[in-house]
Amino acid sequence: MDSWDYEECLDLIDYIPQRNNFFDIWQYEGTAEQDIQEGELDDENLDEYLSRAPEITLNRRPIGGLRLIYSCIGPQLDCNDSTVFWSRSDFMKIVQSFRLPKRFTQAMARCHCFFAQSPPEKIDAEAEHFSYVFSTLFHHCPFWALAAFWDSEKNITYAFLQCDPGSNRDSIPRLKRFLAKSAPQALHPLLVPVLIMDLETNLTLRDDERWTAEIRNVESETGQEPDCRAKTLDPFDLDLPGIVQRLNGCSVFLSLIERESEVVLLHLDQALNMISDLQSMSPNLRKSSNQLTGHVNFLISSRKNLFLRLQNLQRRSQT
């Protein structure tokens, strides 16, 4: 990840201009309610959107917000993980206007597993800013790529998100619902990647329940139920090809989720470190940092417990 060239990475990205979307959350002084704005973007209204500012009146002053541009790879499009649904000029315009780390282009072009704070570009050198890149592969949503920049003075997070939803077409809508319900955490710069890992963990736990039920059914059919006396069955009475196929499916799931869980635990640990760094930069983030830290610790516990369940499932699938 250390040897890379910005222009070269831009050349490796595939640009397919399509309609994109935005999801903005603004919070104002003196009210717990959030102002949520969303809609579609294209090359005609992009400049207007990028120059937009929150409404300011005597009784309505913004205290922070999230500005999220997102794209979702559809099954009808012939594209890959490196596809961006903008022209090259518009993509660069977003990166520059949102002050996103240029290293995001490397994550898009070459890397599927990266989560780290990025050094700020040479802008407002005396001000404190924070930016990061989050890029990873998951079982349900095969590709997530996120770049974000936090303006500490205005408490606004600018983010660009791209997702290949895989078999879970509801991933982006669920993410938006989570964001809308997460006030005041929605103002925390690291909330989006944490929620992405939360969504995937939730779906993985459901898969674990499904495969556990499948193994239980196989044990029942073959007379190998735990805590029960083994039954003597005629192998010719069993659907051996079907049983082997189901066990193979379980084995593939276990190998995928074990590697994924290792990556998620690493990323969650990195998130804790970044949350701590941000809190030291801005005491105003103390409340949302404490809440988000609790959220991350819960996800770490969930993933560790999942490891134990995977080990049990692996043992039962091999006996």
Side-chain angles (χ1 to χ4, degrees):
M1 291 294 296
D2 292 325
S3 179
W4 69 288
D5 180 85
Y6 177 57
E7 294 295 333
E8 179 184 350
C9 288
L10 284 173
D11 291 337
L12 293 175
I13 295 176
D14 296 327
Y15 304 95
I16 306 179
Q18 299 280 331
R19 278 195 171 275
N20 293 266
N21 303 273
F22 73 86
F23 185 77
D24 290 358
I25 299 178
W26 299 106
Q27 192 153 18
Y28 291 88
E29 193 175 41
T31 176
E33 296 182 1
Q34 299 181 99
D35 180 18
I36 298 178
Q37 304 170 7
E38 55 183 316
E40 292 187 336
L41 292 173
D42 55 28
D43 57 352
E44 295 182 358
N45 62 355
L46 178 61
D47 288 338
E48 177 187 353
Y49 170 78
L50 293 176
S51 61
R52 189 182 305 167
E55 177 186 356
I56 301 177
T57 65
L58 291 177
N59 300 321
R60 186 179 167 92
R61 300 188 64 82
I63 58 174
L66 166 69
R67 305 196 68 186
L68 176 67
I69 293 177
Y70 66 91
S71 307
C72 193
I73 298 175
Q76 73 281 4
L77 296 173
D78 183 15
C79 53
N80 54 50
D81 294 345
S82 300
T83 300
V84 172
F85 298 128
W86 295 98
S87 66
R88 174 166 173 160
S89 59
D90 283 340
F91 176 69
M92 293 177 65
K93 186 184 299 182
I94 295 170
V95 171
Q96 294 168 2
S97 298
F98 272 19
R99 303 182 184 182
L100 303 177
K102 290 184 176 180
R103 197 147 198 162
F104 180 49
T105 60
Q106 185 187 17
M108 288 290 298
R110 293 179 175 176
C111 179
H112 292 165
C113 185
F114 182 54
F115 186 27
Q117 179 179 349
S118 295
E121 309 297 337
K122 295 181 179 179
I123 49 175
D124 300 339
E126 296 182 358
E128 287 189 305
H129 299 298
F130 181 88
S131 61
Y132 62 87
V133 177
F134 175 81
S135 176
T136 193
L137 288 169
F138 281 136
H139 176 61
H140 289 281
C141 298
F143 182 58
W144 291 93
L146 171 71
F149 170 86
W150 178 60
D151 186 328
S152 61
E153 182 179 354
K154 298 179 180 179
N155 192 24
I156 298 176
T157 301
Y158 302 87
F160 183 103
L161 171 67
Q162 188 141 322
C163 168
D164 176 355
S167 59
N168 181 35
R169 311 306 305 177
D170 193 41
S171 54
I172 290 292
R174 291 182 68 211
L175 178 64
K176 291 196 298 181
R177 290 196 296 269
F178 272 35
L179 285 169
K181 294 178 180 179
S182 297
Q185 290 184 63
L187 299 183
H188 198 285
L190 282 169
L191 179 62
V192 177
V194 171
L195 287 184
I196 288 173
M197 289 185 278
D198 189 346
L199 287 170
E200 191 66 24
T201 298
N202 181 265
L203 292 170
T204 299
L205 288 171
R206 294 185 189 179
D207 269 352
D208 172 62
E209 293 174 358
R210 180 169 66 88
W211 283 109
T212 298
E214 188 67 54
I215 291 297
R216 189 179 296 117
N217 291 336
V218 170
E219 291 172 337
S220 177
E221 294 169 19
T222 58
Q224 300 296 318
E225 296 171 278
D227 303 324
C228 292
R229 186 174 180 178
K231 303 176 184 177
T232 303
L233 299 176
D234 188 341
F236 292 102
D237 292 336
L238 301 175
D239 178 18
L240 292 179
I243 291 174
V244 170
Q245 184 177 18
R246 291 151 69 188
L247 292 175
N248 283 340
C250 180
S251 179
V252 170
F253 164 75
L254 291 171
S255 61
L256 286 173
I257 299 307
E258 186 174 14
R259 292 195 299 269
E260 177 187 302
S261 294
E262 291 174 350
V263 172
V264 172
L265 285 170
L266 175 63
H267 285 176
L268 289 171
D269 184 62
Q270 291 170 309
L272 286 177
N273 292 332
M274 284 189 252
I275 291 171
S276 178
D277 291 342
L278 279 166
Q279 187 168 332
S280 64
M281 287 175 56
S282 176
N284 293 331
L285 288 176
R286 183 181 303 278
K287 181 178 179 180
S288 59
S289 292
N290 290 339
Q291 291 179 332
L292 195 58
T293 296
H295 196 150
V296 172
N297 284 328
F298 173 77
L299 290 178
I300 290 174
S301 176
S302 296
R303 281 286 176 173
K304 288 182 176 179
N305 288 334
L306 181 59
F307 260 125
L308 297 177
R309 295 170 65 173
L310 290 175
Q311 290 173 356
N312 178 56
L313 196 59
Q314 182 74 41
R315 176 185 57 79
R316 291 170 65 181
S317 67
Q318 292 175 346
T319 57

